[in-house]
Amino acid sequence: MNQITTSMTQYMKDHPGLKYIFFGGKGGVGKTVLAGTAALWAAKQGKKTLLASTNPVHSLSNLYGQDVFGKAVTVCDESLCYAFEIDTKDTIERSKREIREKINWFLKFADLTTKADDFIESATMNPAFEESAMFENMTDIMFKNEYDFYVFDTAPTANARRLLGMSKVYSLWVEKMLKSRDEAKTLRELLSFSKKNEEDPLMNYLLGFKGRMAKVQGLLTDNNLTAFFFATLPESLPIAVITRFINWFYEFGIPVGGVVVNGIIQKDQVGENTAEFVRNRVKMQDDHMQEIWEIFGDKVRATIPLFETEVKGTPMLKRMLDHLFV
């Protein structure tokens, strides 16, 4: 099989209720450009669309040539197309305050005089803390439900996998925490002379968090609502990356929409007088395209040519439309 059986356009028609799509892959394969094109397409279908970047190293502002950091801004001359680079700073500060309150409460509950600052610093210096904040922001955006269609420009695949997998990891974690918390509370009540029912803010928080994770996990694993698209170049490393990660997404139950191959040199632009360097690249791409068809087969949704210039700004994104949505 060396041809597309279900195009991106057909996939969208087959999934009319689709609301959340994600683009991921190895760094430098064109995830942001493909996400920007998909957002433009959705807006042109009459859907109020938000393109949100969950990549800590944002690039949407550069793609559009306008500032979209921390705020949803209309882009591409389309009234229904908005772009937004998530600012995690406020979420991180809010999380620090919440952690401080919970640790202080726990230390008081356990009659410990240790100051909370060391625990707070340890918790918030964790490298995954920013990812957690990004996940919280992404979840907020989905729950607010202010748009008809959402496109997420994710970080390189390993980060995206961790980000999207957090709903499952958090769900497992909160179940263990609830069990431990319930055991601790029962033991305290047995040892206490007072039979007064005390408010338990930690338990209330855990129950609320459990409900929140169940809700977002339900959205992320719904085949009718969500799809993750992998972007790759016809080169060995990006192919190897998504080959490895695509199964991890299946493990988390996140529906895989397919694979988009970007940056293919057009053979009608190559002649006898073309530089040997270019002809070698064409031969290399031919070999890797064969590999792509063999590995991903009917999951290939589109093949995008290598343009003569960088894809940046509205005119180039509009040119991309004709290739991503054939």
Side-chain angles (χ1 to χ4, degrees):
M1 177 190 301
N2 285 0
Q3 61 182 5
I4 295 170
T5 56
T6 303
S7 67
M8 198 74 174
T9 303
Q10 187 59 48
Y11 185 89
M12 294 298 180
K13 287 181 180 176
D14 293 343
H15 297 76
L18 210 60
K19 187 163 185 173
Y20 310 103
I21 68 171
F22 297 78
F23 282 89
K26 187 178 179 300
V29 297
K31 298 184 295 295
T32 301
V33 167
L34 295 175
T37 307
L40 179 57
W41 176 84
K44 285 184 176 295
Q45 309 308 304
K47 298 180 179 180
K48 185 181 178 184
T49 302
L50 178 67
L51 167 59
S53 168
T54 62
N55 190 340
V57 185
H58 297 299
S59 51
L60 291 184
S61 291
N62 288 331
L63 175 68
Y64 293 112
Q66 61 187 102
D67 183 13
V68 301
F69 182 71
K71 55 193 174 187
V73 176
T74 305
V75 293
C76 288
D77 306 324
E78 292 284 338
S79 61
L80 295 177
C81 192
Y82 296 82
F84 173 44
E85 291 176 338
I86 297 173
D87 180 6
T88 59
K89 183 176 64 179
D90 289 343
T91 307
I92 288 174
E93 291 305 315
R94 187 182 70 220
S95 296
K96 284 182 178 179
R97 286 196 301 273
E98 291 176 353
I99 287 174
R100 182 183 299 278
E101 290 170 2
K102 290 180 181 66
I103 290 178
N104 279 328
W105 181 88
F106 178 79
L107 293 175
K108 182 180 177 182
F109 176 85
D111 293 327
L112 296 175
T113 56
T114 306
K115 291 185 178 179
D117 291 350
D118 292 342
F119 294 100
I120 296 165
E121 184 177 355
S122 174
T124 57
M125 290 298 287
N126 188 315
F129 195 74
E130 185 170 357
E131 278 183 1
S132 300
M134 187 66 78
F135 180 75
E136 285 293 311
N137 284 115
M138 186 188 80
T139 303
D140 285 343
I141 289 171
M142 296 172 76
F143 286 178
K144 283 181 181 174
N145 199 28
E146 296 175 333
Y147 297 82
D148 303 318
F149 198 78
Y150 296 82
V151 182
F152 290 98
D153 174 29
T154 73
T157 301
N159 297 67
R161 179 244 180 188
R162 286 202 302 272
L163 180 73
L164 299 183
M166 277 184 178
S167 62
K168 184 172 183 178
V169 173
Y170 274 150
S171 295
L172 294 172
W173 171 82
V174 78
E175 285 294 343
K176 290 184 178 178
M177 289 295 292
L178 278 169
K179 184 179 179 184
S180 299
R181 184 74 200 126
D182 192 49
E183 290 173 352
K185 187 179 178 184
T186 301
L187 181 61
R188 180 181 172 89
E189 288 172 352
L190 285 174
L191 297 176
S192 174
F193 291 108
S194 173
K195 299 303 179 186
K196 181 181 176 183
N197 284 330
E198 294 181 325
E199 186 182 357
D200 189 340
L202 185 55
M203 181 64 92
N204 293 340
Y205 167 79
L206 289 172
L207 288 172
F209 190 73
K210 179 183 177 182
R212 185 176 169 83
M213 287 305 101
K215 183 177 178 180
V216 72
Q217 192 173 5
L219 295 178
L220 289 174
T221 57
D222 188 333
N223 188 51
N224 294 315
L225 289 175
T226 300
F228 193 99
F229 293 94
F230 287 92
T232 186
L233 299 176
E235 297 178 8
S236 59
L237 290 182
I239 294 171
V241 166
I242 66 172
T243 301
R244 187 185 328 144
F245 282 93
I246 200 167
N247 288 327
W248 289 5
F249 279 75
Y250 284 128
E251 288 175 11
F252 281 124
I254 297 169
V256 175
V259 174
V260 178
V261 187
N262 190 24
I264 300 175
I265 300 173
Q266 297 305 282
K267 291 182 180 176
D268 59 5
Q269 303 293 316
V270 180
E272 293 181 357
N273 297 324
T274 301
E276 183 179 3
F277 164 79
V278 177
R279 285 187 276 118
N280 286 341
R281 298 289 295 187
V282 171
K283 174 66 171 57
M284 178 203 74
Q285 289 195 346
D286 280 347
D287 292 342
H288 288 306
M289 280 306 300
Q290 187 61 39
E291 184 183 7
I292 286 170
W293 291 119
E294 290 172 359
I295 296 174
F296 304 111
D298 60 4
K299 287 200 175 302
V300 178
R301 301 284 174 247
T303 54
I304 312 293
L306 179 65
F307 289 94
E308 73 284 359
T309 184
E310 182 181 11
V311 178
K312 185 178 178 182
T314 301
M316 288 302 294
L317 286 171
K318 288 181 176 177
R319 282 183 64 186
M320 284 282 287
L321 273 177
D322 295 334
H323 297 280
L324 183 57
F325 292 92
V326 178

